[in-house]
Amino acid sequence: MDFLKSAMDRVKPEFERLIRRELGKMTKTNEKIHVLADESLGGIKREYVEVDRKAEVGDKIVIVDKRYPGDIYENGDIFTVDREAPPGSGFVGSDGAASDMNTGGLIYLGEYRVLEPTNIAHIDGPDGPERYEMVDRKPEIGEKVIVTESDDFPKGFVDSVKEVDDFHDNGSFFLVNGVLGENFLDAEYEEYRVLVPVESSEEEPQPSDPIDVIANLATRVAELERENKRIKDEIDTLHKDNRRHGEELEALKYAAKETDGKVAHLEADSDMRLFTAEEVAALLNAMRERR
């Protein structure tokens, strides 16, 4: 059953990833993507999308409709929200937007869009940056991972999985390179994401309408269901084999018990019917004397 649970855990995030990807295709033409360094990932480049909502402290925002010529910022400039003025109003302040005319760095609601991070990261490859989706699941040998929380590895550290820890079934593994002699990532105390390569737009056809999206999802779901059925069939076969072997073992035990009983019975009969050595000797002597 642990094997089935592991397989289902593997299928579920893959299915969710496919849904996100297909839905992303539907809105891709309306999205404006920004590639920015994410300090929570050690400066790794990450894709952000523009969202029309009120910003909160710590959010990244992009200016889309500058209203006052005297402000030092321009459309396309990106800032981090340092305060809300007042809270909940949608008006925000950023030290980076402050000037002699606008000492509080005030940015009005409607002038900006919030930049929300996606799961797409840009990782340096041999031919330049490559796009990967960060997926929350257990890795397989050879897959790339990115560290998101650890005392042993820096945030944003990228490496490949050398060996999976089979002793603890919690997603722990050994890295190919590691850091300063440390190459074991303990998933009980450290966090990571698996890096799944994102298909390029040239390789991946874009659906023209939701019907294409549903068709693609249905095809993939059917494949996952077939894989799930295959795994269940294998498990059922193992259970049947175990049950058959158990029945055969019980039959052997019963036969052994019957054999032990017969042997004991024969021994008992032998004790009643056979003469002792002394009795045989005395009988032979008596027969000689008669002659």
Side-chain angles (χ1 to χ4, degrees):
M1 296 305 292
D2 290 341
F3 176 67
L4 176 59
K5 183 178 183 301
S6 177
M8 294 302 293
D9 291 343
R10 178 75 171 82
V11 168
K12 183 178 178 181
E14 176 69 9
F15 178 62
E16 292 175 347
R17 185 181 74 85
L18 288 167
I19 292 178
R20 290 195 303 270
R21 188 188 70 179
E22 296 297 337
L23 293 178
K25 292 177 185 179
M26 296 175 62
T27 58
K28 189 172 182 180
T29 55
N30 297 323
E31 283 184 349
K32 292 184 179 179
I33 297 176
H34 300 260
V35 180
L36 307 173
D38 186 349
E39 297 306 321
S40 69
L41 294 177
I44 291 287
K45 296 290 184 66
R46 187 173 189 172
E47 292 185 6
Y48 290 75
V49 294
E50 295 183 13
V51 178
D52 186 9
R53 67 167 175 82
K54 295 179 181 179
E56 300 175 357
V57 174
D59 282 340
K60 294 181 185 294
I61 60 173
V62 58
I63 305 300
V64 296
D65 187 15
K66 177 183 175 179
R67 295 187 179 179
Y68 298 98
D71 286 324
I72 62 172
Y73 53 79
E74 301 292 341
N75 289 341
D77 288 348
I78 294 174
F79 300 102
T80 299
V81 176
D82 295 308
R83 53 197 162 271
E84 298 177 54
S89 67
F91 294 176
V92 298
S94 175
D95 294 339
S99 64
D100 293 338
M101 180 179 176
N102 183 4
T103 56
L106 180 65
I107 302 173
Y108 290 90
L109 180 65
E111 286 191 288
Y112 66 84
R113 294 287 184 273
V114 177
L115 296 178
E116 290 192 346
T118 70
N119 289 329
I120 305 300
H122 288 215
I123 309 297
D124 290 335
D127 300 321
E130 299 175 352
R131 299 175 71 235
Y132 288 86
E133 181 175 2
M134 297 181 290
V135 181
D136 184 10
R137 65 166 170 80
K138 296 177 183 178
E140 297 179 357
I141 294 175
E143 286 189 310
K144 282 187 172 64
V145 295
I146 182 169
V147 177
T148 57
E149 191 69 39
S150 173
D151 292 331
D152 298 320
F153 307 99
K155 290 183 178 180
F157 178 69
V158 176
D159 204 343
S160 297
V161 176
K162 179 180 181 181
E163 181 182 350
V164 175
D165 182 15
D166 294 327
F167 186 74
H168 297 97
D169 186 23
N170 61 357
S172 300
F173 51 84
F174 294 89
L175 295 165
V176 172
N177 298 312
V179 175
L180 299 177
E182 179 62 54
N183 69 340
F184 180 70
L185 190 146
D186 191 341
E188 184 174 354
Y189 305 102
E190 300 169 298
E191 298 179 7
Y192 63 89
R193 293 293 182 271
V194 178
L195 294 174
V196 179
V198 176
E199 301 89 341
S200 65
S201 58
E202 292 80 7
E203 298 173 347
E204 184 177 4
Q206 299 294 324
S208 57
D209 56 48
I211 294 178
D212 292 331
V213 175
I214 295 172
N216 290 337
L217 283 174
T219 300
R220 185 55 179 155
V221 168
E223 293 175 356
L224 293 175
E225 287 179 344
R226 284 195 294 271
E227 177 66 12
N228 188 28
K229 183 179 183 302
R230 183 187 65 79
I231 293 172
K232 287 184 177 180
D233 289 343
E234 290 181 357
I235 292 175
D236 289 341
T237 300
L238 290 174
H239 284 325
K240 290 178 181 177
D241 289 343
N242 288 337
R243 186 165 56 249
R244 179 171 56 82
H245 292 156
E247 292 172 353
E248 292 176 352
L249 181 60
E250 288 299 322
L252 289 173
K253 288 181 178 178
Y254 180 79
K257 186 181 296 185
E258 287 291 311
T259 302
D260 290 342
K262 291 179 180 180
V263 170
H265 183 69
L266 288 173
E267 289 177 348
D269 291 345
S270 298
D271 290 340
M272 291 186 296
R273 296 173 183 175
L274 294 180
F275 296 101
T276 64
E278 290 79 3
E279 291 172 337
V280 171
L283 181 60
L284 291 175
N285 289 333
M287 293 173 65
R288 292 193 190 99
E289 289 175 357
R290 285 184 177 182
R291 289 179 181 176

